[in-house]
Structure formats: C-alpha cells, structure tokens
Amino acid sequence: MSVQNLNTFDPFADEGDPLGSSTQDVGSQSNYIHIRIQQRNGRKTLTTLQGLPKEYDLKKLLKAFKKEFACNGTLVDDEESGQVIQLQGDQRLKISTFLVQEGIPKNTIKVHGF
Amino acid sequence: MSEEPLFDPSLKKRKKKTVAFSEDPLGADADPTTPAPAEIDNVTTNGDAVDMGPTTMHEQMLKQNAGPEDGEKKEDDDLKAMFGDLKKKKKKKEIPLDLEGDGSGTSTPVGAAVSEDLDFSDLKKKKKKSSKKAALDLEAFEKELNESKVKDADEEEGGDENQLQDVDETELGDDPFSRGGEGVSLDSGNEPWLKSDRDYTYEELLHRFYAQLHASNPALLTSAGKRYTIAPPQLAREGNKKTIFANVSDICKRMHRQPEHVIQYMFAEMGTTGSVDGSGRLVIKGRFQQKQIEHVLRRYIVEYVTCKTCKSPDTLLSKENRIFFMSCESCGSRRSVNTIKTGFQAQVGKRSKNKTG
C-alpha cells in the first residue's frame, strides 16, 4: 500500500528544464557570447569577443580570426570577464558568421554596438 | 491526424519572420547622407521588416489579409494596398462562399484569408485559379465532396498509409480544383476535422478562433493601423570627437522610460561614455550617425519597451530589489528584463589619460 503523502519529495531537486530546450534564453544571462565594438580615433574601431565557452582554445581561435579576417588582434586578460579576444576593425558580423559556421548556436551570440 | 502534412500553416509563416537584429537593418551600404526615416518603425528604409520578436497570431492574420505580394512593397503604400486588397478579395471570394453556403450558414469573408494560408502551390498557379475560381468553384466543391468520401472510405479501411498517399497525390498533382476545395474548407461549419474522425490540432483551432473573432468584429483588422512611432534622433556634432543627441528627453518621454536608463543602455551598447549638458541634451563621446543611434534605440525598444507577450509598447518599467521589471499596461503581463551590462572595455587612447590604467 502506498500513501501518497508519505512519498518523499525534494522541493529543491533539479527539475530539468521546465520549458523544454529553451532554457538558453530564459534568465541565463551569463553564458551569452558577446561581440562588442568600440570606437577609437578617427574611423578606427575595435571588436571584442567575450564569454566564449571554456572548451575553445582562444589562442587558436585568435589565430584563425587573424588569418580569416586579415586583421590584427590580441588576447586580453580581464579580471571580470576572463580572457577576451580583441580585434582591430569592425569584425562583428564576420565573427558571428564564423562562430555560427563552426556550430555555435546563433541564439547564444549577442552582437552589440551601433 | 493523417492529414497533417497537408495542413501545416506554420510552413508558410516561418518565412515571414525575416531579418534578425544581428544585421544592420538599414543595410551596411545605406547612404549615410540620405535622411533617415521620419519614424522608427518595424520596417526599415529598405522596406524589409525588422524582427521585433515573434509575430503574434493576430499580426499574421493581418499580414495575410494584406496579401503575399504586398510584403515586397514599401510600407508607405502598405496601408492603401491592404485596403484595396481587402475589397478585391471580398468581391472575389464572396461568390464561392455563397455557393458553399448550403453547408454552413455562417461562412464569412475572413475565411478567405485563411484559405490563402493553406495554399502551398506557387503564385502562378494561384492567380490562375483565383481568376477561374468563381466559375469553377461549384465543380470544385463537388469534387471535394467526392474526395472526402473517398478519404472516409480509406479511413474506414484503417489504411493510414493509404491516406497519406492520397494526400500526397492531391498535393503533388497539378489539379487546381482540389487545392481550392481544400482551402475553402476552413470556413465555420466546414472544418477539415468534421470529415474525418481525427482530433483537431491546436493550429486549426487557433485559426478557427481568429476567423470567428474577425468575422464577428471586422473592425479589429482595419483599426490596427495604429503604429508605435518615435521621433527620429536629432544628432549634431560638437567639435570633432563628440556627438550631441538633442532630443533624448523627448524620446524618453515618448517611451515612458527614465532618461538615465536609456542613456545607460546606449553607453553600454556603443561602448562609450558621455554626459548630459545643461539643456538636457546628451553629449556622446565619439562620432555617431543618426542611423547608428536609431539602431541602438530600436534595440532598446525591443528589449525594454515592447511587451514580449502582446507587443504593446504600453509598458512600465519598475525596479524592485535591484531587478527591473517590465509590466504591460494592456495585457497585464509582467516579466523581468535583463540588466544593462557594459562588459569588457578595451583600453582606447593614451594610457596616461586613463586614471585606472
């Protein structure tokens, strides 16, 4: 015989995702990949790429970016946002298409700027 | 259930959600010297729609009534064309509906919009069909009746595969009548699920609801011309390196948002800093063009002004426990919005000028 009231139920247990697979855009703000742009002097701009998942080797990625987009760039260590790829010029669209082609879902990429 | 492949309205609809915001809605090659449009709308100067989030069912109905060929047109003649199209359609489809009327007394002109949705055949065929339609519709209806009988018979045999094949044949065959018959069949009292013993799908019921809603109050479709408009940003250059955004407070008032919030968002997005001068104008560091600011404002509106549920701009932003909540005045929904984050700021300019560096 089973009494339903006596069944143990852990209210704090992980429920999986209640909204199916769409947890990516609900609440989770931190794991977006941000592509930003910054103005420098004159017509020059900088593009920064922040928040890439840990499994990617940023150094190799930077090398690929530099070759693909024909621009220079560095890897910057930031206290808050970890390692950030920084490229010369406005490479936002190119970066996002590159990342999408490499299989990163498009809804995790956020392109900022004007 | 087995008629599923034939009835999938979402197929056509997905296409209608077009340009995502990741692309510059004004087009990268848009001439900066040409004046930006007088109003910020969800259609850009190029005439292509900007994705203001997923479209609601209501809007999709609106679009369908405007006709598929209107999508390419400029938004200026959009409204006019819509009215023109509506009239035309009513005239054309009234005849077949009357002929159909023996089955259902409540058949409505709005059903025409739905029938268009079901049409997967290409445009050319459709035009041909619609011109012939008035004359041939009775025939088509009879044919449809026969077909449904055949289908019923098939179903009674228990052959779901048979049914599928049958459907496929009707879909691939270039017989225009069968398509026409299928399209009209969504009028009230003539729903596709009546002919078979399958359950109705959610999509079908949704269509039925909207068809009846618009039938009983046709004013809904015509009065939706009310658009959310905002004055274009007025920009001026101060010296060489600063841009003045003159009508920030005006725009903020129009959006019912605190200027601080808007300004914070703009600075975070554009990666600059600035200040508000004595007369309420915003001084932005860096050179910006009107369309760039407009693009940022557009995104602000999508993110922080329009209600995600009903797309109404009539919302309030309030702060509770360090979290911003957006509550909609028209539908009553309430949700938290993302906090504004600046993110990584690269070192620009001389290090000696930067206090932290």
Side-chain angles (χ1 to χ4, degrees), chain B residues 89-113:
Chain B
K89 240 165 235 157
K90 265 181 194 165
K91 236 185 266 166
K92 237 183 237 166
K93 307 255 168 155
E94 215 96 84
I95 307 162
L97 282 172
D98 281 349
L99 288 174
E100 282 255 328
D102 52 359
S104 61
T106 57
S107 63
T108 57
V110 188

Side-chain angles (χ1 to χ4, degrees), chain A residues 29-30 32 36-42 46 48 50 76 78 81 84 86 93 106 110-114, chain B residues 22-23 268-271 285-288 292 295-296 299 303 338-339 341-348:
Chain A
Q29 210 180 354
S30 51
Y32 275 123
R36 292 198 171 78
I37 191 169
Q38 238 178 315
Q39 278 197 340
R40 286 180 58 217
N41 39 0
L46 273 181
T48 58
Q50 171 195 330
V76 182
D78 192 63
S81 36
V84 178
Q86 185 175 314
L93 281 183
K106 202 173 180 190
K110 262 198 171 175
V111 180
H112 297 264
F114 26 82
Chain B
S22 53
E23 289 152 34
E269 274 301 282
M270 301 189 297
K285 217 173 129 194
R287 294 185 212 174
F288 295 97
Q292 295 174 320
H295 187 205
V296 176
R299 284 210 300 234
E303 184 114 22
N338 294 339
T339 51
K341 268 194 191 163
T342 317
F344 173 71
Q345 286 289 312
Q347 172 80 43
V348 174

Side-chain angles (χ1 to χ4, degrees), chain B residues 15-38:
Chain B
K15 275 184 213 154
K16 274 176 188 158
K17 295 181 211 160
T18 41
V19 185
F21 254 141
S22 53
E23 289 152 34
D24 185 3
L26 285 158
D29 47 9
D31 191 2
T33 55
T34 53

